[in-house]
Amino acid sequence: IIPLGDALAIQRAEAGELDYPKSRLLGSIAFIVTSYLAGVLLDAYGAMTVPIASLVFTIGIALVAVYLPRGRPEPSAQTKNPFASFKILLRPRIGRVLLAAILIQASHAALYNFGSLHFRNIGMSDSTIGALWGLGVAAEVALFAFYPRSVSPVTMIRIGSAGTLLRWIVLAETSSFALIALSQT
């Protein structure tokens, strides 16, 4: 659902109907607040919080989806080549950049799926874990708000790769809250 929402937001931004950076900022703020509140609720009410919150949010998404604007008609299958967008991947630099970004995201799949369990196993409360996830998104917001636009996307991917490696080393070797919080940024 999230990639579909991003695609719709980008489409509306390109049409001048939406300020994408502000929308992304609001979404990030909502994530930070929700992550922290989820941790507080887990601390207070236990694991039953997860299916109840999932149900409430799913119903909320369904209700909001009813009021989403209709998309513009897409070209028919006869006029649109379904493989045309793959041509860009044949350009060596684009393919390498995309592959690097995919590998960075894939390396985080384990963290996104098991990070909370790891944090709990080293003694952190659920509210602290929620705050750690929120801290990561707050760092993302700060990065997009303040990084110098003169830094190329390729350089940002290289910095991200180095940060990914450092993050994994920290998470594997320490249970220090301060170092883990720093690695979340």
Side-chain angles (χ1 to χ4, degrees):
I1 290 174
I2 292 171
L4 290 174
D6 272 347
L8 179 61
I10 290 168
Q11 181 187 55
R12 293 301 173 189
E14 287 174 348
E17 300 170 6
L18 175 77
D19 184 340
Y20 184 77
K22 285 183 183 176
S23 297
R24 184 68 191 247
L25 175 64
L26 291 173
S28 295
I29 290 168
F31 180 87
I32 292 166
V33 170
T34 304
S35 293
Y36 179 72
L37 290 177
V40 170
L41 290 172
L42 276 169
D43 277 343
Y45 301 107
M48 247 347 256
T49 303
V50 175
I52 293 169
S54 295
L55 177 64
V56 168
F57 283 122
T58 301
I59 291 169
I61 290 168
L63 291 173
V64 169
V66 170
Y67 297 101
L68 289 174
R70 300 283 179 226
R72 292 187 298 272
E74 290 289 324
S76 70
Q78 295 121 356
T79 61
K80 185 177 179 183
N81 178 352
F83 300 104
S85 61
F86 288 105
K87 286 181 184 177
I88 196 167
L89 298 178
L90 298 177
R91 295 164 68 189
R93 189 172 174 137
I94 297 292
R96 287 192 309 263
V97 166
L98 184 60
L99 180 61
I102 289 169
L103 291 172
I104 290 168
Q105 280 300 108
S107 76
H108 280 73
L111 178 64
Y112 298 149
N113 288 306
F114 299 106
S116 295
L117 295 174
H118 172 68
F119 297 150
R120 185 182 280 166
N121 283 340
I122 61 174
M124 293 184 188
S125 70
D126 290 326
S127 57
T128 299
I129 294 167
L132 283 171
W133 288 118
L135 176 63
V137 174
E140 175 187 316
V141 169
L143 173 70
F144 286 121
F146 300 111
Y147 89 91
R149 300 298 188 242
S150 60
V151 177
S152 76
V154 171
T155 300
M156 291 300 292
I157 289 174
R158 288 179 179 145
I159 292 168
S161 297
T164 297
L165 179 62
L166 183 60
R167 183 184 210 182
W168 281 112
I169 291 169
V170 168
L171 291 176
E173 296 296 328
T174 188
S175 60
S176 162
F177 174 78
L179 289 175
I180 290 172
L182 184 61
S183 79
Q184 285 295 93
T185 64

